[in-house]
Amino acid sequence: MTDIPLRQLNDGSTLPAIGLGTYGLTGEDGIAAIGAGIASGYRLLDTALNYGNEREVGEAIRRSGVDRDEFVVTSKLPGRHHGYEETLASFEESRKNLGLERIDLYLIHWPLPRIGKFVDSFRAFLKLREDGLVRSAGVSNFTEAQLRRIVLETGVAPAVNQVELHPHFPQAALRKVHEELGIVTESWAPLGKRQELLDEPVVRDAAAAHGVTPTQAVLRWHLELGAVPVPKSGDAERQRENLGVFGFTLTGDEVSAFSALESGRLWDGDPETHEEF
Ligand SMILES: NC(=O)c1ccc[n+]([C@@H]2O[C@H](COP(=O)([O-])OP(=O)(O)OC[C@H]3O[C@@H](n4cnc5c(N)ncnc54)[C@H](OP(=O)(O)O)[C@@H]3O)[C@@H](O)[C@H]2O)c1
């Protein structure tokens, strides 16, 4: 098993420096794929009520024989459940699906500013944290203004903001805000989900220079930025490949060259307007 370094969160908890995305890993095949990830060493597992696979994540943990307390199980509150009481009820649904007492990292999946209830949901997260049912309260896809509103109205900075982040969308300004507020950045779609990123000449050159694969070079770029990537793979070999990022470092010039590939979001996932329920 790989020894994955831990990152410190602002609430005193820790987060493995890389995790396993599980979107699309469902059914028996999904349980087997998540189980293979656990066997390779992943302890941060990223799911959501809306992925329809919380049951699979919980089952893979139980079948693994690994102590439950080694895991940082992440799930997310869907848009249709925003609001204080609705959030508490949604949490119970997720917890039941997972078959776990506690969700280690609970995120508001999208801010949905038009609905205007994300602060109420975050207050419910803090209540769950107080009750020991959630270890860390975080958010996903939040903008600077939305983060500052949470801090202003609740006095608590989210532990994590999980956002779209890859060399085609490096989010420099938002990462600076995270640093200022003590929020750890998690990267979704860390591989840009598309082959084009892995075919970029600067990525291929850096990979060749370090004797690693383009995927490993891109994941290492996230670590150099201080972000926690959650690459998804359903394939045991690629899962292992994605953990092979701790034996080398990128130079400052390589990091800058990757960041200069900026071209924009993968799809129109603008948190100001995107609505997902
Ligand atoms: N908070 C949010 O709103 C949000 C949004 C999107 C995603 N997420 C989370 O972020 C996770 C990751 O994002 P994502 O799944 O969209 O994109 P991703 O991790 O960037 O890319 C996944 C794709 O890359 C392939 N892949 C993985 N490792 C590879 C390797 N070593 N070599 C070649 N191909 C490889 C996978 O195929 P194989 O499976 O066949 O290996 C899959 O097609 C999701 O699973 C989910 O947990 C969160």
Side-chain angles (χ1 to χ4, degrees):
M1 156 186 163
T2 326
D3 268 330
I4 300 175
L6 296 175
R7 296 287 312 277
Q8 196 66 43
L9 298 178
N10 63 18
D11 57 13
S13 314
T14 55
L15 194 66
I18 186 168
L20 181 68
T22 70
Y23 181 73
L25 301 179
T26 54
E28 273 304 314
D29 288 353
I31 296 172
I34 298 162
I38 294 170
S40 303
Y42 290 91
R43 294 295 178 265
L44 167 60
L45 305 177
D46 188 79
T47 181
L49 185 63
N50 271 355
Y51 297 173
N53 69 352
E54 289 172 314
R55 186 190 68 80
E56 284 84 337
V57 169
E59 192 54 31
I61 289 173
R62 279 184 291 280
R63 288 188 198 174
S64 73
V66 175
D67 183 357
R68 185 267 173 264
D69 285 338
E70 281 194 26
F71 291 95
V72 177
V73 177
T74 305
S75 197
K76 310 189 192 82
L77 174 81
R80 66 183 178 284
H81 294 156
H82 279 208
Y84 190 88
E85 293 301 333
E86 295 88 336
T87 296
L88 297 179
S90 190
F91 171 81
E92 280 306 320
E93 192 178 333
S94 281
R95 196 161 75 123
K96 208 164 135 211
N97 290 339
L98 285 159
L100 298 174
E101 269 300 296
R102 173 187 84 231
I103 293 178
D104 302 292
L105 176 61
Y106 198 32
L107 309 178
I108 300 177
H109 207 147
W110 285 88
L112 302 178
R114 187 180 63 86
I115 305 300
K117 293 185 181 170
F118 64 76
V119 175
D120 298 333
S121 287
F122 197 73
R123 283 192 212 287
F125 276 30
L126 296 178
K127 163 77 174 137
L128 291 165
R129 196 180 71 173
E130 211 180 285
D131 293 347
L133 299 172
V134 160
R135 213 187 58 180
S136 295
V139 297
S140 179
N141 299 300
F142 273 48
T143 64
E144 172 179 358
Q146 291 156 355
L147 292 171
R148 291 198 189 280
R149 198 172 146 210
I150 292 250
V151 175
L152 191 74
E153 296 198 26
T154 70
V156 177
V160 160
N161 188 18
Q162 183 185 104
V163 295
E164 177 179 350
L165 180 60
H166 43 77
H168 284 153
F169 194 57
Q171 299 254 42
L174 186 60
R175 283 189 288 107
K176 228 169 146 191
V177 172
H178 290 171
E179 220 168 280
E180 179 203 323
L181 297 176
I183 297 170
V184 167
T185 305
E186 270 194 335
S187 315
W188 65 253
L191 303 175
K193 228 180 173 174
R194 292 194 187 141
Q195 193 56 36
E196 295 106 82
L197 176 59
L198 304 175
D199 287 338
E200 292 277 7
V202 291
V203 172
R204 299 196 79 86
D205 289 352
H210 295 282
V212 299
T213 66
T215 310
Q216 289 170 328
V218 168
L219 293 172
R220 183 69 215 183
W221 171 84
H222 289 270
L223 303 186
E224 307 288 1
L225 297 183
V228 173
V230 289
K232 174 262 167 184
S233 179
D235 175 79
E237 206 164 301
R238 287 191 288 279
Q239 289 171 345
R240 275 195 297 277
E241 175 187 342
N242 296 349
L243 287 181
V245 293
F246 298 105
F248 70 103
T249 55
L250 295 177
T251 66
D253 284 350
E254 287 165 339
V255 172
S256 303
F258 282 29
S259 301
L261 294 171
E262 177 154 18
S263 57
R265 300 180 191 280
L266 283 174
W267 46 275
D268 192 23
D270 181 348
E272 290 293 355
T273 49
H274 179 69
E275 296 199 339
E276 220 178 87
F277 294 94

